[in-house]
Amino acid sequence: MRSDGHGNSRLGSRLRVRGRIAGEGIVALACRFEGRVDVRGAVVVATDGHVEASIRADRVTVRGSVRGDIVGDHVTIADGGQLEGDVRAAVVEIEDGATLAGAVDVRFDEASEVE
Amino acid sequence: MSEPSYIAEELQVVGAIEGDEDLFVAGSLDGDVVLDARLVVEATGIVRGDVTATQVVVRGQLSGNVRASEMIRVEADAQLLGDLAAPRVVVAPGARFRGKVSQRLAPRPSLALEPQAPRAVELAVAALALPPEAAQQVAVEPEDAVLVPSTASAPFAASTDAADTVAGVLPAALRPEPMAVPALRIALPRRVAARRRVGGGLA
């Protein structure tokens, strides 16, 4: 029995998923995923994750590799993370060691909150 | 070891999933699943699609054909619409289930479930909390819902018109407790060819 739901979803590294993910909560993708992600909440592409998808979520963290565009409030390309695609967000964070090939659009109207 | 794969209640996945790690679905999943591992549909989970896995446990809803190389367990309160194929099939009392059951698993998982009618439907022993040996002693005749005991020690035979209440025809000796028996409802498709698993039985 499982009881640690708390809205946390996880697709592990030994899964391959093709399709669409929607809903809310925290979604960790360690799998190979192809398709589209649209989540109210957070999406984390784990170090093992290989995602070919457009991602839309409040909070997006890329530790693995993503090919596709990301739209969110706060997007982080973490150390070791790779993104091939465009980012549009109020806050964009590119850590040392991240690889990014694409355009970044940080919305100026909300940028003042970030300072 | 990391956490198992889990689709939470608030999440909807539309698409195909394959792989070799256990997957728990508490949210909704529309699409086919092929796993060399376990699939568990939690009480809040809704899966619409065909499933192939080593073991399949259904506590929520599943619409689709299910094939398991080891076993399928349909728990109480589960709702299952589709055909089941596995060496071991367990349906708990209270579960809602409509479909065929085949325990002659084809050697290759890729083979289609159709069209052979199951030779016999084995009653879930766990569902009645009977000793495991009882599974070999009870067979359901889908056509007329007759229970046939294999041993002469507990001879009985009865049938129901509704063909869905098996409980009433169990011998008293096999009833673990009065409460549990009426809860068992197994709806059997009438088109399934009736085969008697054990000799002797009815005239």
Side-chain angles (χ1 to χ4, degrees):
Chain A
M1 297 288 278
R2 293 180 53 88
S3 55
D4 59 341
H6 303 311
N8 290 13
S9 297
R10 183 180 184 282
L11 294 171
S13 59
R14 284 152 69 190
L15 292 180
R16 291 171 296 282
V17 182
R18 210 171 48 244
R20 205 171 71 236
I21 296 175
E24 54 189 275
I26 301 171
V27 181
L29 300 174
C31 60
R32 286 187 173 273
F33 178 80
E34 235 176 276
R36 204 168 76 218
V37 182
D38 192 345
V39 170
R40 274 179 316 233
V43 171
V44 179
V45 177
T47 50
D48 290 338
H50 288 269
V51 172
E52 284 191 39
S54 58
I55 300 174
R56 179 187 289 267
D58 299 326
R59 185 79 170 84
V60 180
T61 304
V62 177
R63 301 185 198 285
S65 84
V66 173
R67 233 171 100 180
D69 298 339
I70 298 175
V71 177
D73 291 333
H74 189 148
V75 175
T76 301
I77 316 298
D79 181 9
Q82 300 179 355
L83 172 65
E84 197 180 323
D86 300 343
V87 182
R88 191 153 55 85
V91 179
V92 172
E93 198 179 344
I94 301 172
E95 291 184 2
D96 190 11
T99 311
L100 171 59
V104 175
D105 177 4
V106 179
R107 288 177 286 175
F108 287 107
D109 51 339
E110 295 175 37
S112 55
E113 298 168 16
V114 192
E115 96 186 26
Chain B
M1 182 60 191
S2 55
E3 276 186 72
S5 289
Y6 187 75
I7 295 175
E9 195 173 344
E10 300 82 3
L11 205 70
Q12 300 100 44
V13 176
V14 180
I17 296 184
E18 59 177 41
D20 61 356
E21 70 174 73
D22 293 351
L23 174 64
F24 293 76
V25 180
S28 83
L29 169 60
D30 288 75
D32 295 346
V33 179
V34 179
L35 293 179
D36 192 10
R38 258 186 335 150
L39 173 74
V40 178
V41 182
E42 301 280 23
T44 55
I46 300 174
V47 173
R48 299 180 203 90
D50 293 341
V51 174
T52 301
T54 56
Q55 291 182 23
V56 178
V57 177
V58 182
R59 303 185 179 113
Q61 298 176 33
L62 195 158
S63 304
N65 297 332
V66 182
R67 168 178 293 276
S69 59
E70 293 170 13
M71 86 172 294
I72 298 169
R73 179 185 290 273
V74 182
E75 305 211 333
D77 301 327
Q79 200 173 315
L80 203 149
L81 180 63
D83 296 341
L84 309 181
R88 291 170 65 201
V89 175
V90 174
V91 178
R96 296 170 66 191
F97 165 46
R98 188 192 298 157
K100 287 184 283 188
V101 174
S102 170
Q103 295 184 308
R104 284 287 164 88
L105 193 62
R108 290 169 178 276
S110 57
L111 288 183
L113 197 59
E114 300 293 340
Q116 267 201 334
R119 297 259 189 285
V121 178
E122 201 162 316
L123 252 189
V125 171
L128 290 172
L130 297 177
E133 314 84 76
Q136 274 70 53
Q137 296 172 2
V138 179
V140 174
E141 299 286 352
E143 209 165 55
D144 54 7
V146 172
L147 277 179
V148 182
S150 63
T151 60
S153 59
F156 71 97
S159 65
T160 62
D161 291 331
D164 63 357
T165 306
V166 181
V169 300
L170 281 176
L174 285 178
R175 295 181 199 171
E177 52 177 313
M179 294 292 292
V181 173
L184 174 66
R185 292 164 54 87
I186 298 184
L188 295 163
R190 286 177 177 275
R191 58 193 148 81
V192 173
R195 297 282 165 83
R196 199 149 293 158
R197 284 184 71 243
V198 290
L202 300 172

